[in-house]
Amino acid sequence: MSADLLELRGIHKSFSRGFRKRVDALQGVDLRVSAGEARIITIAGESGSGKSTLGMLALGFLAPDAGEVRFRGQDVGQLRGRSLREFRRSVQAIFQNPFSAFNPFYPVDHVLRLTLRNFAPQQDRAGVEASISEALSALHLDPAAILGKHPHQLSGGQLQRVMLARAFLLRPELIIADEPVSMIDASLRAVVLANMLELKERHGISQLYITHDLSTARQISDRILILYRGRVVEAGSMDHVLDAPQHPYTQLLIQAIPQPDPTKRWQAPLDWQRGEAAAETAEMDGGCPFYSRCPQRMDRCLAAVPPLYATPANTQAACYLHEPESTSTA
Amino acid sequence: MVGPGSEVVLEIEALRIHYEMQAATIRAVDGVDLKVRGNEVLGLAGESGSGKSTLALGVLRLLRPPGRVVEGRVRFGDVDLLALEERDLRALRWRQFAYIPQGSMSALNPVMRLRSQFADTLAAHGERMQPAAMQERFTEVLHGVGLEADILPRYPHELSGGMRQRVCIALALLLGPRLIIADEPTSALDVISQRVVLETLAAARQAIGASMLLIGHDLALLAQVTDRLGVMYAGRIVELGATGQLFANARHPYTQRLISSIPDLHDRRTISSDAPEAEAQWLLEGPLQEVSAGHFVRPWQTAGETAS
């Protein structure tokens, strides 16, 4: 029935932290990756927004407290045997720190060979070599310059691209990339991002790009979800959200990004509220999670968490400023 | 508004810092000359391993073995910091120059109330004050960074990361230094706190007329607040000039690459997957040369060209 490759619906996830303390990492998040045309979807948010937890749930590494994660219509938590294996092959992951993803005692080839041994044990030696060369070449890496090298001999950018090659070996349908370029020097980032874009455009691989960095997201993604304290506050096409942000949080976030141009300096201090204790308590009691910092807050925001409303800019924003007129009297 | 003066507050001359280990010697800082002028913000940009943090530690005499200054002078006013006795150095530290290290919010003592940490900072640098005067001084520096004195009885964990970072800035300004050396002061913060903290630091510096050496990897951030900018690569400064000049007319290929690799939030550029240029190395040759007034560039060759 479902045409979705991956669907997360009504996801809640909490972690206990010490005695009787709980952190609500995700509080009712929906996300769909369609099985049709490949897309790169950015999940953006600051630390603690729940973006990495969302990635872990999509990978099936964590189970939701409430809601469901479905892969081709099947509950990921129920997958067993052959279908679980197929899910593991189809959905690959790249993480933040490429330096810790490799065993320092082995050449970087090791992780590529291991992957093939696990997923394609029938391949003979020549087949393995051909697959590896092909995957590295797809990422514009020269096999001769990579194979046989130990991790410390390669740059962070090269290591991350070898991780992309590892994922590409399995011809996945979806790659979940959690901050894949944030530990890589700026001058080498562009190549990794270009690789990601090419995996989508030439090889039809969809990606969830989890990041705090809207500027790099702009370069490669089609859609974006902005998370704040475990909830989606704004969602839409990349260009709509970044060109005309509708949620006060997205607006602040974009204003805070420095422009790489000394002639376009910040003119006035950022207009934001310093979270007062009273306002934060109000949030705890079920109001908008952004209330304490919002420059446009209203009393209305304390009553209940705003749902996602359609905005005039073709995005969805969880803010009462966008509540349709007819229902606002309720 | 008072602009940068011509007086030189800090002068680094031919500084070389090596990490000497059994297997190899790493030349982290390989002959750096740099002047910080009065009331100016000088940015120092570079990627990981460029030597920018080592440079700061060397200047502050906070290097730990195997790091060692092998050559050079660091003049602060008319004293050579590198030749100073530890005791005389302590008299200058904090009073004359302060340091805001990377992730300094975790430098606060977690089991001490903030008031004690402020008082300790005064006492450690030989400043005696009556309790009332002390309270007034604390309130003043906290206001300078947009905080209220009511946080003084609190412990560090009761504050957010951005607030802790502002507390560290307040501590650095406590004795009214002439020079602030800040190494990636906002890199551990989210983007909104980053802007708030950097704006705070810039305003607080301006208010006391101190000079600042601001070290960072984020060129966009440095573009916002620096008067002049130096770019470090492999332990050397490859380009130095007024920030506007450098962004408008970068000469060194490494500077050009750093600037062009900043993704633009407002424009989806076609990004290239051509790697060779991205992995290129430059061999630096000879001293910095002045290409126009105040704009210096170091001659270079690419590694490939010399292989023949």
Side-chain angles (χ1 to χ4, degrees):
Chain A
M1 136 217 160
S2 168
D4 289 335
L5 180 63
L6 192 75
E7 183 183 15
L8 285 81
R9 197 191 303 158
I11 300 289
H12 286 257
K13 182 72 189 172
S14 303
F15 297 101
S16 62
R17 210 172 153 187
F19 183 62
R20 282 189 186 166
K21 274 191 190 159
R22 229 167 41 121
V23 178
D24 296 317
L26 291 171
Q27 305 180 66
V29 171
D30 299 320
L31 168 69
R32 295 170 58 186
V33 183
S34 83
E37 203 182 332
R39 290 266 181 268
I40 298 182
I41 302 171
T42 288
I43 314 287
E46 54 195 51
S47 49
S49 62
K51 58 187 192 300
S52 292
T53 303
L54 195 64
M56 291 299 189
L57 283 152
L59 284 164
F61 291 174
L62 290 174
D65 299 338
E68 35 188 35
V69 182
R70 292 184 172 273
F71 175 67
R72 296 195 174 288
Q74 283 186 292
D75 186 342
V76 166
Q78 304 293 320
L79 295 175
R80 297 288 182 272
R82 190 185 290 266
S83 55
L84 178 60
R85 213 176 153 71
E86 175 57 16
F87 169 71
R88 288 264 173 266
R89 182 197 64 78
S90 302
V91 182
Q92 288 294 315
I94 306 289
F95 296 104
Q96 181 170 9
N97 187 348
F99 299 96
S100 70
F102 291 87
N103 186 331
F105 292 106
Y106 288 96
V108 294
D109 332 10
H110 181 68
V111 70
L112 302 173
R113 292 176 207 287
L114 207 59
T115 302
L116 285 176
R117 203 183 301 156
N118 285 335
F119 282 92
Q122 72 288 355
Q123 254 188 356
D124 62 13
R125 186 179 286 251
V128 166
E129 297 309 318
S131 295
I132 288 176
S133 288
E134 190 191 350
L136 290 172
S137 304
L139 289 143
H140 305 274
L141 288 166
D142 175 11
I146 300 292
L147 296 176
K149 292 273 167 57
H150 281 74
H152 71 268
Q153 294 173 291
L154 301 179
S155 70
Q158 285 171 318
L159 291 176
Q160 201 62 298
R161 294 163 67 206
V162 174
M163 287 319 283
L164 282 169
R166 191 207 65 87
F168 182 72
L169 274 177
L170 301 174
R171 301 297 186 276
E173 288 160 278
L174 177 64
I175 294 177
I176 294 173
D178 191 349
E179 297 277 16
V181 297
S182 64
M183 285 188 66
I184 294 169
D185 276 335
S187 61
L188 304 176
R189 264 179 208 172
V191 190
V192 180
L193 293 169
N195 280 160
M196 291 172 66
L197 196 56
E198 202 172 294
L199 286 177
K200 181 195 86 167
E201 286 176 351
R202 191 175 292 180
H203 303 286
I205 301 173
S206 286
Q207 287 154 66
L208 282 189
Y209 176 41
I210 299 171
T211 185
H212 72 285
D213 180 1
L214 296 182
S215 307
T216 55
R218 179 63 169 248
Q219 309 306 315
I220 59 169
S221 47
D222 304 293
R223 282 183 57 77
I224 184 166
L225 273 74
I226 310 259
L227 289 185
Y228 185 77
R229 296 200 187 168
R231 296 176 203 272
V232 175
V233 293
E234 189 156 6
S237 85
M238 197 71 207
D239 294 345
H240 288 150
V241 172
L242 292 196
D243 289 339
Q246 298 295 308
H247 193 285
Y249 173 63
T250 320
Q251 290 166 354
L252 267 184
L253 207 55
I254 287 172
Q255 283 169 36
I257 297 171
Q259 293 220 57
D261 184 346
T263 63
K264 293 180 188 161
R265 290 195 171 172
W266 295 323
Q267 294 305 315
L270 193 65
D271 177 25
W272 76 315
Q273 302 286 326
R274 296 225 169 80
E276 306 130 36
E280 279 176 23
T281 316
E283 283 167 8
M284 307 294 169
D285 293 341
C288 173
F290 191 55
Y291 181 84
S292 68
R293 287 163 89 184
C294 185
Q296 299 179 65
R297 63 196 188 191
M298 310 174 282
D299 289 344
R300 170 111 184 68
C301 309
L302 288 171
V305 178
L308 284 167
Y309 295 113
T311 72
N314 271 325
T315 71
Q316 290 184 297
C319 177
Y320 288 121
L321 293 171
H322 298 286
E323 190 176 20
E325 291 292 336
S326 55
T327 60
S328 62
T329 50
Chain B
M1 202 173 91
V2 188
S6 54
E7 145 227 21
V8 173
V9 173
L10 183 77
E11 182 170 5
I12 300 168
E13 281 175 77
L15 188 65
R16 282 177 205 280
I17 301 173
H18 291 181
Y19 288 96
E20 287 162 353
M21 288 168 294
Q22 273 182 343
T25 294
I26 294 167
R27 301 172 178 199
V29 175
D30 199 13
V32 165
D33 296 282
L34 198 63
K35 287 176 187 163
V36 184
R37 302 190 188 127
N39 202 22
E40 84 165 338
V41 180
L42 174 62
L44 197 55
E47 297 181 290
S48 49
S50 63
K52 57 192 194 301
S53 297
T54 299
L55 179 77
L57 293 174
V59 168
L60 293 156
R61 295 242 327 242
L62 293 171
L63 272 177
R64 297 253 171 97
R68 191 169 72 84
V69 174
V70 293
E71 197 188 320
R73 276 166 306 282
V74 177
R75 280 184 206 291
F76 182 74
D78 44 10
V79 292
D80 184 350
L81 288 185
L82 300 183
L84 224 49
E85 293 287 327
E86 188 64 37
R87 195 170 45 145
D88 300 328
L89 186 66
R90 208 175 310 137
L92 286 181
R93 272 197 189 131
W94 230 256
R95 212 173 261 288
Q96 294 289 324
F97 56 88
Y99 176 45
I100 305 173
Q102 195 167 1
S104 61
M105 60 240 228
S106 35
L108 294 171
N109 187 335
V111 296
M112 254 170 105
R113 295 182 195 276
L114 293 172
R115 183 191 303 283
S116 316
Q117 307 197 38
F118 275 80
D120 272 7
T121 305
L122 285 184
H125 298 280
E127 191 81 15
R128 287 165 188 279
M129 274 190 186
Q130 296 299 315
M134 213 142 75
Q135 177 72 19
E136 199 177 311
R137 181 86 196 105
F138 296 167
T139 307
E140 189 186 329
V141 290
L142 285 171
H143 278 169
V145 298
L147 293 172
E148 295 297 325
D150 63 4
I151 64 155
L152 285 169
R154 297 212 220 166
Y155 289 98
H157 75 267
E158 297 177 88
L159 308 179
S160 71
M163 286 168 87
R164 283 203 294 267
Q165 194 66 348
R166 280 186 277 158
V167 167
C168 289
I169 294 171
L171 277 171
L173 302 177
L174 195 56
L175 298 175
R178 287 171 63 205
L179 173 70
I180 301 162
I181 296 181
D183 187 1
E184 304 258 14
T186 62
S187 65
L189 302 174
D190 66 72
V191 63
I192 293 177
S193 311
Q194 171 178 278
R195 173 164 170 185
V196 171
V197 168
L198 198 64
E199 281 174 341
T200 303
L201 177 58
R205 177 209 70 83
Q206 177 109 40
I208 63 170
S211 304
M212 178 155 73
L213 180 61
L214 179 61
I215 295 169
H217 70 281
D218 186 341
L219 271 184
L221 213 54
L222 292 170
Q224 292 292 324
V225 295
T226 58
D227 299 310
R228 290 193 303 142
L229 190 58
V231 176
M232 268 190 95
Y233 174 81
R236 300 187 189 184
I237 288 176
V238 297
E239 192 156 1
L240 176 71
T243 305
Q245 207 172 21
L246 213 75
F247 271 83
N249 192 18
R251 297 290 191 89
H252 198 282
Y254 181 68
T255 315
Q256 291 171 350
R257 195 177 89 190
L258 272 189
I259 291 174
S260 68
S261 66
I262 308 171
D264 189 342
L265 178 71
H266 301 282
D267 181 26
R268 191 191 288 258
R269 255 179 288 176
T270 18
I271 44 178
S272 154
S273 57
D274 295 341
E277 197 257 348
E279 310 284 351
Q281 300 286 313
W282 286 281
L283 302 172
L284 312 171
E285 303 177 337
L288 284 168
Q289 292 177 1
E290 190 161 13
V291 289
S292 63
H295 185 176
F296 298 86
V297 182
R298 191 179 293 275
W300 71 90
Q301 261 190 327
T302 56
E305 283 168 14
T306 56
S308 55

